[in-house]
Amino acid sequence: MSETQEGKTTEPEVDLPAWSLRRDDPRARALPRSWPHRIDRKWAWSGSDGAGVRVAIVDSGIDGDHELVGGLQRAVAVEKTADGEWKVGDDDAGDLAGHGTACAGIVRSFAPRSELWSVRVLGAGFKGGAGALLTGLRWAIEQGCEVVNLSLSTPKRDTAALLHEIADDAYFGGSVFVASAHNLDVRSYPWRFSSVVSVASHDGEDPYEFLYNPDPPVEFFARGMDIEVAWLDRTRIIAAGNSFATAHMTGICALILGKHPALTPFQLKTVLRETASNMRES
Amino acid sequence: MAEEDLRAAVAAGALAAREGHRPLLQAIVEVARAIFGARAASIMLLDHSAGELVFQAVTGEGEDTLVGRRISSATGIAGWVAQSGQPLVVEDVANDPRFAREEARRTGYVPKGLMAAPLLRDDRVLGVLNVLDRPERRRFSAAEMDLLGLFANQASVALDLLLQAQRIETLLGTAGDELEAVAELAMRIDRLDEDRRAAAVRLLRDLVDIVGS
């Protein structure tokens, strides 16, 4: 594109390459600058209870009747049909391990009015592949879940490519994947992708303490050690692991999106960084 | 049969290797148990096709009865760990009747706490390392999770070797006499002095050419 002496742009003769933008395209218009200069926790989530935010817990199922969970919006399971297809259907199996209920309870403790969606991908249908995981994640995006809690990872490289595609679709489609980093020194996915919010544990006791990691691939550390969580049969147990740190970040994401529903995943990540406990005034 | 498999089978000369790896797995669970001061520790192998976890090595509670025992990988904490590929630590699971469920009850011992880590090798989940009932005196720390990870890495290597030995054994078992004969030949050639070995290898190459045509 060339500039005339009057400073006006002239239309080029040729088409722009794919994915480019003409400056007179509506997408080039000025966008409202809605953020204050200082992004702090008060701005980010004060007064929010997560209302209006759909949170999918992609895990072992959820016991919706547990007092710490307090009801589910919907529960589905991904199962393999007789002809080998993965299918999403309503699920009344509850929780097969306890883990999904634990994560749901943590999210609820932050965002009591968020909607919890249980997407069960673990269980009998899971053996032999990651098809259930991929199908469940895709389904959660299609339902418009704004936050997807994923305390799982897979070391399978062929699955990683498919996961990457789904994670990117989520990122651009307005669903935030909050994914557990591996607790061991293992290369697994999707937490290593830049399009997700990846979480590992710190050993502090404050549920609202989370740290931004300037040295990724793990981007955030949240409370993950010695936490009382909901478990099977309406019990509570003490548990530890990055999964639970992840559920803390999911809860905080739900709070922020409850107050600022228009934030894109990329903006949300920035808000998380600005409100991290280890940010200090320059 | 793939050439690679044949080579693996022949190179295995060490068919007794399988038994050699059991003490290694056993040593790993024993050290893990001692380091964490736990009441029991075990390594389970994931049988993908059956959807089950099989006890391979056990120390402490259940060590006399559990090896070879199978539990479902679809439910429970070890199942979650195998399927999710993520470690998990829980305390007071005895309060959880479904964890104790039939599985734990059948083992004759219901733990109060459990640390479980997946055993990963390359991009495969091979099984689960369990450490049961560490002392309640202290909070679980990130350092302990790292330690658990170190043991899990070691156990994964050992379990992978065991699986390779089993695979070769199966291969030999199903291949009939010809592989055994080749393995025998390879072992004998290996014992020859350098000159005779070179001659034997030339002879074998000629044989390959003849058979190949």
Side-chain angles (χ1 to χ4, degrees), chain B residues 8-29:
Chain B
V10 173
L15 291 182
R18 189 168 79 137
E19 288 314 306
H21 295 121
R22 292 211 179 276
L24 180 55
L25 290 177
Q26 189 65 29
I28 292 167
V29 291

Side-chain angles (χ1 to χ4, degrees), chain A residues 137 147-153 167 176-182 189-193 195-200 217-220 242-243 245-247 249-250, chain B residues 86:
Chain A
L137 288 174
V147 190
V148 178
N149 185 91
L150 190 60
S151 295
L152 321 170
S153 67
V176 176
F177 277 11
V178 187
S180 288
H182 210 284
Y189 313 92
W191 66 270
R192 296 184 68 95
F193 301 147
S195 49
V196 310
V197 173
S198 58
V199 190
V218 173
E219 284 188 303
F220 295 95
N242 288 350
S243 331
T246 302
M249 289 308 287
T250 296
Chain B
Q86 293 279 3

